[in-house]
Amino acid sequence: MSGTWSGEPAAPTDADPRRWWGLVVIALAQLMVVLDATIVNIALPSAQRDLGMSDGNRQWVITAYTLAFGGLLLLGGRVADLVGRKRTFVIGLIGFAAASAIGGAATTPAMLFGARALQGVFAALLAPSALSLLSTTFSDPRERARAFGIYGTLAASGAAAGFIVGGVLTEYLNWRWCLYVNIPFAVAAVIGAYALLRDRPGHPGARLDVPGALLGCGGLVCLVYGFGEAQPRGWSDPLVPALFALAVVLLAGFVWWQTRAPLPLLPLHIIRDRNRAGCMVTMMLAVIGMFGMFLFMTYYLQVILEYSPLMTGLAFLPMTASILTGSTQISARLLPHVGPRMLMVPGMLLASGGMVILTQMTMDSAYATEILPALILMGLGMGLTFMPVFSTATAGVARRDSGVTSATVNTSQQVGASIGTALLNTVATSTGASYIASHLSDPTRREQVVREGIVHGYTVAIWVAAGIMLLAGLVAGLMVTAKAPKHDAPADDPVPEPVG
């Protein structure tokens, strides 16, 4: 996906002749962050066995990363403004590599969870600074369009590469290399950044909204931790409602503070726009369902169907291809002619339909006839939805708000991933445990009943995910009322579409 700022001046005469090599460096860093999201999914079953994680706690390998990333992304953008984009970019790369090394060397689940959270912190510095560097490196509108297109293609292909690389590394080395592999990427990008990237100095007058970051991130941590604790403790345990209540208080405090902060993390006028708010809620709900599905299908393919890690990675590729097809060949071609909800609502219906097909899976489902059609439907649905969400959410905002708007869309994505993984993992493990307890009358059938219970838990959670995606379609249909872009009045200061 790509986008341009209209009305920009032509490229200056002193345009950096090395700017296209600079693009390679920026894209390499983004590729590393995107790769990390899918590569760890494939490695998770092996890491769980090796470190002795419980089924209830395994989701923290995913949510520790997405929580830190999503919760601190807005602050990361402000840090880049304060200390300079290039410096923030390099700090993010070095920190991400160090956190990856700690994760790869993890000897306990807590050490791995902590390393993943640290990766998320540095990814929150890396992602906004990379996008800002891209915007400042390419000032000519035509060059900017090409640069964003290349950047978007590499970022999207990173998700597919993660499935394959994760499978190869886990199968032929071990799961730890799925974290170690980030180190050479980061080293190459740091060297390239110092050699090729230019940047304006930071703005010493910029201020960081630390109270806002603490309130917002703290509220999200309490929310996700509440979902995580509901499985081992039970929903009626006093700690669980207490965590949810604290999450509500902290998030309400965050909203209150944003109306009074001198330089708020999230200027509330950005999400008061009906279309923008609708896009962000749709994105969050869609990702809740998608990330839960990634977790369950990884375990289903490796544990139940006994696929190797490499075969599991290959099994996900048709869905990645469908996402790219839906986004670049369908949505991108139709969006100039139809309103965004005319793509988003059918997209969520298709994705939900794919989920419903998966609810029928059993312990010996055939991939080609029962799993593959569902993955293709979900991929097409996500591709139809994501492209108009990004385009509509970032259209027509003032340039001073472009960075925070892009970061807010990506935050909704990461928050959805955190909530979805924690919530649906809790649903799957608790319903699976209930099934096993009620059916384990014959000790000789224990292994069979346990496997049946695991699959039962997955299917119940996927039913929930299907319902959440239907809700996403309803939100898009009711809230996103924007017309086709070519029918709208041109914005005074359009912004480039974010990627990833």
Side-chain angles (χ1 to χ4, degrees):
M1 292 180 289
S2 64
T4 64
W5 272 317
S6 61
E8 291 276 349
T13 54
D14 62 342
D16 188 351
R18 300 173 300 176
R19 60 192 179 279
W20 291 104
W21 285 108
L23 171 63
V24 173
V25 173
I26 295 167
L28 184 66
Q30 176 67 9
L31 182 66
M32 179 181 70
V33 173
V34 174
L35 193 79
D36 196 70
T38 51
I39 200 172
V40 171
N41 264 289
I42 300 298
L44 188 50
S46 298
Q48 181 179 359
R49 286 193 301 271
D50 194 15
L51 299 181
M53 294 178 220
S54 69
D55 286 348
N57 283 339
R58 67 189 177 195
Q59 51 93 9
W60 283 105
V61 176
I62 309 298
T63 52
Y65 176 79
T66 54
L67 259 180
F69 191 4
L72 297 174
L73 192 55
L74 292 167
L75 188 67
R78 297 295 193 198
V79 170
D81 289 338
L82 178 64
V83 304
R85 296 175 180 90
K86 178 177 173 179
R87 185 179 298 171
T88 307
F89 182 74
V90 170
I91 292 169
L93 284 167
I94 294 171
F96 197 89
S100 299
I102 294 169
T107 54
T108 64
M111 186 175 174
L112 180 57
F113 301 157
R116 290 287 289 160
L118 202 57
Q119 278 186 306
V121 170
F122 287 105
L125 293 176
L126 185 59
S129 56
L131 201 57
S132 297
L133 282 168
L134 186 64
S135 296
T136 56
T137 300
F138 294 91
S139 55
D140 176 73
R142 285 168 297 183
E143 285 195 351
R144 186 189 297 274
R146 283 184 60 200
F148 269 85
I150 293 168
Y151 178 84
T153 301
L154 287 174
S157 63
F163 289 126
I164 302 301
V165 174
V168 169
L169 292 175
T170 303
E171 188 163 344
Y172 295 108
L173 293 171
N174 63 50
W175 65 268
R176 298 177 185 278
W177 284 95
C178 292
L179 292 158
Y180 290 146
V181 73
N182 292 320
I183 299 171
F185 275 97
V187 169
V190 167
I191 295 170
Y194 277 117
L196 300 167
L197 296 180
R198 294 193 302 180
D199 186 27
R200 301 166 187 160
H203 306 291
R207 299 177 64 179
L208 299 180
D209 181 14
V210 175
L214 292 175
L215 287 167
C217 197
L220 293 172
V221 168
C222 288
L223 182 64
V224 173
Y225 188 44
F227 284 127
E229 288 299 301
Q231 189 273 325
R233 294 175 178 269
W235 291 94
S236 60
D237 186 275
L239 179 64
V240 175
L243 285 168
F244 289 141
L246 183 57
V248 170
V249 170
L250 290 173
L251 292 174
F254 171 77
V255 173
W256 172 84
W257 174 250
Q258 295 310 286
T259 65
R260 288 159 176 77
L263 188 63
L265 271 184
L266 177 59
L268 294 182
H269 67 267
I270 287 174
I271 57 174
R272 287 195 186 108
D273 177 85
R274 175 175 178 161
N275 290 299
R276 196 168 296 122
C279 285
M280 291 176 183
V281 175
T282 300
M283 168 66 80
M284 185 172 69
L285 292 171
V287 173
I288 285 175
M290 185 174 75
F291 264 71
M293 183 276 302
F294 276 149
L295 180 67
F296 303 137
M297 292 310 299
T298 297
Y299 275 86
Y300 176 76
L301 292 170
Q302 289 193 41
V303 176
I304 304 301
L305 297 188
E306 299 181 350
Y307 280 25
S308 68
L310 178 56
M311 285 297 296
T312 301
L314 291 170
F316 278 113
L317 281 187
M319 188 180 73
T320 305
S322 296
I323 292 174
L324 289 173
T325 301
S327 178
T328 62
Q329 302 304 311
I330 302 176
S331 277
R333 295 173 186 271
L334 292 180
L335 188 59
H337 308 288
V338 301
R341 67 176 169 184
M342 299 301 291
L343 296 169
M344 293 160 66
V345 173
M348 285 294 91
L349 289 175
L350 278 176
S352 182
M355 289 285 192
V356 171
I357 292 174
L358 281 183
T359 63
Q360 308 306 306
M361 67 187 185
T362 64
M363 291 195 303
D364 52 3
S365 293
Y367 174 80
T369 57
E370 298 173 72
I371 307 299
L372 179 60
L375 295 179
I376 291 173
L377 277 179
M378 282 189 288
L380 284 173
M382 290 296 178
L384 281 174
T385 303
F386 284 172
M387 191 273 177
V389 162
F390 277 120
S391 179
T392 307
T394 58
V397 298
R399 188 175 306 172
R400 67 180 179 275
D401 292 327
S402 64
V404 72
T405 303
S406 299
T408 304
V409 178
N410 283 286
T411 296
S412 68
Q413 203 172 358
Q414 299 301 325
V415 169
S418 304
I419 294 173
T421 305
L423 169 63
L424 296 176
N425 185 66
T426 294
V427 171
T429 51
S430 58
T431 55
S434 297
Y435 179 96
I436 293 167
S438 62
H439 288 75
L440 197 58
S441 55
D442 182 357
T444 61
R445 293 189 65 247
R446 178 176 178 80
E447 184 177 347
Q448 175 80 3
V449 171
V450 167
R451 291 167 67 84
E452 289 174 357
I454 291 171
V455 175
H456 174 75
Y458 294 165
T459 56
V460 171
I462 290 171
W463 271 117
V464 174
I468 291 171
M469 286 186 164
L470 282 179
L471 180 60
L474 181 64
V475 168
L478 294 177
M479 291 186 66
V480 182
T481 57
K483 298 178 182 178
K486 75 172 185 179
H487 296 136
D488 285 337
D492 294 333
D493 216 351
V495 297
E497 182 186 326
V499 180

